[in-house]
Amino acid sequence: MVRVGVGAAVLGVVVLACALGAGADGSDHRYKDRDYVPLYANKVGPFHNPSETYRYYDLPFCAPDHPKDKREALGEVLNGDRLVDAPYELNFKEDRTSKILCQKTLSKAEVAKLRDAVAKDYYFQMYYDDLPLWGFLGKLDKDKEQGNAKYLLFKHIHFDIMYNDDRVIEINVQTDPNVAVDITEDKEVQVEFSYSVTWKKTDIPFEKRMEKYSKPSSMPQHLEIHWFSIINSCVTVLLLTGFLATILMRVLKNDFIKYSHEDESLEDQEETGWKYIHGDVFRFPQQKSLFAAIVGSGTQLLALAIFIFLLAIVGVFYPYNRGALFTALVVIYALTSGIAGFTATSFYLQLEGTNWVRNLILTGCLFCGPLFLTFCFLNTVAIAYSATAALPFGTIVVIILIWVLVTSPLLVLGGIAGKNSNTEFQAPCRTTKYPREIPQLPWYRSTIPQMAMAGFLPFSAIYIELYYIFASIWGHKIYTIYSILFIVFIILIIVTAFVTVALTYFQLAVEDHEWWWRSILCGGSTGIFIFFYCIYYYHARSDMSGFMQTSFFFGYMTCVCYGFFLMLGTVGFRASLLFVRHIYRSIKCE
């Protein structure tokens, strides 16, 4: 764990961990013949429940006399990694044949524990010279004719290791079902655990040893599906762009021509359309403080997403760079809090708000508050399960220090800068003293149907890519094609802006001037669609089960969807504001 005492040290250590790649042990990965190569056991858990993982020695495996925990960076701890010395001796270029690891007498309780692990498809994960390896603990052998099942525990592991000169390039682990012990019955069992090692030479350079783990997502058929997703999204954007260019702009052009004719008498005109609500369209919304806080938090999350994508594209998050993504999320969120403070406060004062300090506090808690409450609940669940997802006290202290000594001061500094910016809200029309009455509108022009229409098109542009993201986060697939994901993200932003602008125009055309909150809700409604996809993915596309895994999945995905709501809601509002200002500048309003 990272242990620091002051804010500058916290930030320095975390940034350094992110830059170097969490998990690096300081070695140059060069070895001489028969040199010790570090092997760490990480965790065990049900294969279908990626969040439900436990310490390796929670199960009765062979253990060293004095196992030592590896010192881990912040991101590794957040990722649930708990590395500890493994008893296997895999010295460099030293073959072994059926080396006895230990002999154990498993008690009835230990047999029952291992049998339950085999029934749930438990796997183990280790790291050898920072290369990940996995294997299953055993096998459930079902006899279809008799309806019986045998629980077999693998007792021999074979390591295939490839090297190039003085560096380790690749490692594979094999478990032999023929060398297993039957643990079906409730009785003590004598087990002799063993292992073997074979070294082979390869021409693969050290710099490319991680490419093996990105191959599954780079297969031709996967790339074809990815590009189909991109083409589908691009077609959606083109259709929307064409719609706005041909329909909306033509309608606007006709509106401009009609409203510019000043020679017609008022009696010959019917006062309908968006021009006649010019005295109300820039009337500030209710709940100004909450509105400004949403805009500030959404802007921060948008900046966070862009920075994360930039780091991903330059290769910081290569496969199994342990904890780098979580470290980057913590650091960049802390550093971008000044953006939230500046945006929220300056916009709140533009809306003629008076209590900017309360608005700043609301901005700081708008996203962090629900996330913190969710974390407290899920961490309590993880502690009850004794899972590695439970954060140690020291790590919680580090996160609190980052929030107190980095996030909060930057938020306050941003708020002060926003207060001193002295920017005014640029409204091309004067607002009347009394609001104009909104005419009776059909049901499909109400908020919820409009949100459904606004969220469906952006969601349709990303739903294919969502499967690969979910399979990576909540499964064991590897996602490495970040350039495609970044393109999809840009398309999502564009589609959200276009759809919200179109719906805002239709709302103003029927003289409904309360578009401020509607643009936030319509823009952010894609987050609600993503949440519905979470429900579908959990029940139809995954094999996750159990209270802990269900809690973690829906708890954290709810926070992610809420973040998307804030971010895309801000995008929708900003696009609508630019559009409304443009059209009202183009006409004469008296």
Side-chain angles (χ1 to χ4, degrees):
M1 290 181 295
V2 183
R3 291 182 175 87
V4 290
V6 296
V10 171
L11 187 58
V13 170
V14 175
V15 170
L16 183 62
C18 183
L20 297 179
D25 55 10
S27 70
D28 60 358
H29 300 282
R30 295 183 180 275
Y31 305 98
K32 298 178 182 178
D33 289 3
R34 299 182 181 278
D35 271 0
Y36 167 77
V37 183
L39 173 67
Y40 295 102
N42 188 11
K43 51 193 176 185
V44 294
F47 182 76
H48 299 295
N49 288 353
S51 299
E52 187 183 346
T53 54
Y54 305 94
R55 290 181 175 270
Y56 184 78
Y57 292 121
D58 283 353
L59 293 178
F61 294 131
C62 300
D65 293 335
H66 302 287
K68 294 182 180 179
D69 290 334
K70 181 181 181 298
R71 184 171 180 147
E72 297 170 63
L74 175 64
E76 293 177 289
V77 179
L78 293 175
N79 195 39
D81 291 337
R82 303 292 186 270
L83 274 65
V84 64
D85 285 340
Y88 304 95
E89 296 181 5
L90 309 182
N91 296 334
F92 191 72
K93 293 172 64 174
E94 183 178 348
D95 290 346
R96 292 182 181 271
T97 304
S98 296
K99 170 75 174 178
I100 296 177
L101 191 63
C102 73
Q103 292 182 339
K104 288 182 72 76
T105 300
L106 300 176
S107 65
K108 290 183 180 180
E110 291 174 333
V111 168
K113 196 171 186 178
L114 287 169
R115 185 168 59 246
D116 181 62
V118 171
K120 294 179 179 178
D121 280 334
Y122 265 53
Y123 71 99
F124 64 84
Q125 184 189 39
M126 298 182 179
Y127 281 92
Y128 182 67
D129 193 39
D130 279 343
L131 291 173
L133 57 132
W134 304 264
F136 284 97
L137 305 186
K139 176 185 177 184
L140 182 58
D141 193 2
K142 295 182 179 180
D143 189 339
K144 294 182 180 180
E145 295 181 358
Q146 298 182 1
N148 298 327
K150 276 188 177 182
Y151 295 86
L152 302 177
L153 175 67
F154 300 143
K155 60 180 183 178
H156 181 82
I157 296 179
H158 178 73
F159 297 94
D160 274 319
I161 309 176
M162 303 178 73
Y163 69 96
N164 187 348
D165 293 333
D166 56 354
R167 293 178 180 268
V168 177
I169 303 300
E170 185 178 326
I171 182 169
N172 297 298
V173 62
Q174 300 174 6
T175 50
D176 191 352
N178 297 321
V179 186
V181 59
D182 190 348
I183 56 172
T184 306
E185 300 179 7
D186 274 327
K187 63 179 182 180
E188 290 187 353
V189 177
Q190 291 279 348
V191 184
E192 183 180 84
F193 291 98
S194 61
Y195 68 100
S196 56
V197 189
T198 302
W199 287 83
K200 298 177 183 177
K201 188 173 178 58
T202 181
D203 295 327
I204 300 174
F206 179 80
E207 292 74 18
K208 295 185 177 181
R209 70 175 189 162
M210 284 293 178
E211 289 184 0
K212 166 192 173 184
Y213 303 101
S214 61
K215 284 180 180 178
S217 61
S218 302
M219 297 294 284
Q221 63 269 26
H222 291 167
L223 283 175
E224 288 177 8
I225 296 174
H226 268 96
W227 281 115
F228 173 77
S229 171
I230 291 294
I231 293 172
N232 172 68
S233 302
C234 288
V235 169
T236 304
V237 172
L238 290 174
L239 289 175
L240 285 169
T241 307
F243 166 76
L244 287 176
T246 59
I247 306 296
L248 187 57
M249 299 308 294
R250 180 176 296 178
V251 172
L252 276 173
K253 184 178 179 181
N254 293 335
D255 288 346
F256 291 150
I257 294 173
K258 182 179 70 172
Y259 295 146
S260 63
H261 288 168
E262 298 181 352
D263 54 343
E264 295 182 76
S265 63
L266 292 177
E267 290 80 7
D268 296 333
Q269 294 188 36
E270 184 183 355
E271 290 197 6
T272 59
W274 52 267
K275 176 185 177 181
Y276 301 102
I277 57 171
H278 62 82
D280 297 283
V281 74
F282 293 105
R283 189 181 304 279
F284 297 146
Q286 296 180 343
Q287 303 295 330
K288 297 176 185 178
S289 184
L290 177 59
F291 193 93
I294 290 175
V295 173
S297 297
T299 305
Q300 179 189 8
L301 293 174
L302 181 61
L304 170 66
I306 292 173
F307 282 123
I308 290 294
F309 274 117
L310 292 177
L311 289 177
I313 291 173
V314 300
V316 173
F317 308 132
Y318 61 82
Y320 297 102
N321 185 0
R322 297 193 305 274
L325 177 60
F326 289 101
T327 306
L329 285 170
V330 172
V331 172
I332 297 175
Y333 184 84
L335 295 178
T336 55
S337 59
I339 296 175
F342 177 84
T343 306
T345 302
S346 61
F347 191 68
Y348 177 67
L349 294 177
Q350 288 179 37
L351 299 181
E352 300 177 357
T354 54
N355 195 338
W356 68 274
V357 176
R358 185 179 66 181
N359 172 253
L360 198 61
I361 296 173
L362 179 61
T363 304
C365 297
L366 192 65
F367 182 72
C368 282
L371 182 63
F372 176 74
L373 294 176
T374 303
F375 162 75
C376 290
F377 171 73
L378 296 181
N379 203 59
T380 303
V381 172
I383 291 173
Y385 274 74
S386 300
T388 61
L391 296 189
F393 178 75
T395 304
I396 296 175
V397 170
V398 168
I399 294 175
I400 293 174
L401 283 175
I402 292 174
W403 191 84
V404 171
L405 301 177
V406 180
T407 306
S408 298
L410 288 178
L411 180 72
V412 173
L413 289 176
I416 294 173
K419 177 179 179 294
N420 296 330
S421 62
N422 294 323
T423 54
E424 295 183 357
F425 186 80
Q426 298 175 356
C429 306
R430 286 182 298 183
T431 302
T432 58
K433 185 175 181 180
Y434 299 104
R436 184 186 180 107
E437 184 179 356
I438 299 174
Q440 188 73 26
L441 300 175
W443 65 270
Y444 55 83
R445 289 192 179 274
S446 59
T447 302
I448 294 178
Q450 295 286 296
M451 288 175 64
M453 286 187 282
F456 176 75
L457 284 174
F459 175 77
S460 67
I462 64 169
Y463 81 97
I464 295 177
E465 204 69 17
L466 281 179
Y467 169 76
Y468 294 96
I469 299 171
F470 276 56
S472 174
I473 299 174
W474 300 105
H476 301 279
K477 295 185 182 294
I478 303 167
Y479 195 99
T480 57
I481 312 176
Y482 295 108
S483 55
I484 290 180
L485 186 59
F486 184 60
I487 294 172
V488 172
F489 177 75
I490 296 299
I491 290 173
L492 173 65
I493 298 298
I494 295 172
V495 174
T496 300
F498 281 178
V499 170
T500 311
V501 164
L503 290 176
T504 298
Y505 170 77
F506 294 141
Q507 183 180 358
L508 298 179
V510 294
E511 302 181 30
D512 182 357
H513 53 78
E514 295 181 348
W515 63 274
W516 296 71
W517 276 107
R518 181 75 66 85
S519 64
I520 290 275
L521 296 173
C522 288
S525 59
T526 305
I528 300 174
F529 276 81
I530 296 176
F531 182 76
F532 286 135
Y533 181 84
C534 293
I535 299 174
Y536 163 76
Y537 180 86
Y538 181 85
H539 290 288
R541 305 300 292 270
S542 77
D543 295 317
M544 292 183 280
S545 61
F547 178 73
M548 177 184 171
Q549 183 62 45
T550 304
S551 300
F552 268 71
F553 179 81
F554 284 105
Y556 283 126
M557 287 312 302
T558 300
C559 291
V560 170
C561 295
Y562 175 55
F564 266 94
F565 179 86
L566 295 177
M567 179 179 68
L568 296 178
T570 300
V571 170
F573 166 70
R574 287 295 189 185
S576 296
L577 181 60
L578 289 173
F579 170 75
V580 173
R581 278 176 173 164
H582 171 72
I583 63 173
Y584 281 95
R585 280 198 188 103
S586 303
I587 61 171
K588 293 181 179 180
C589 299
E590 296 180 359

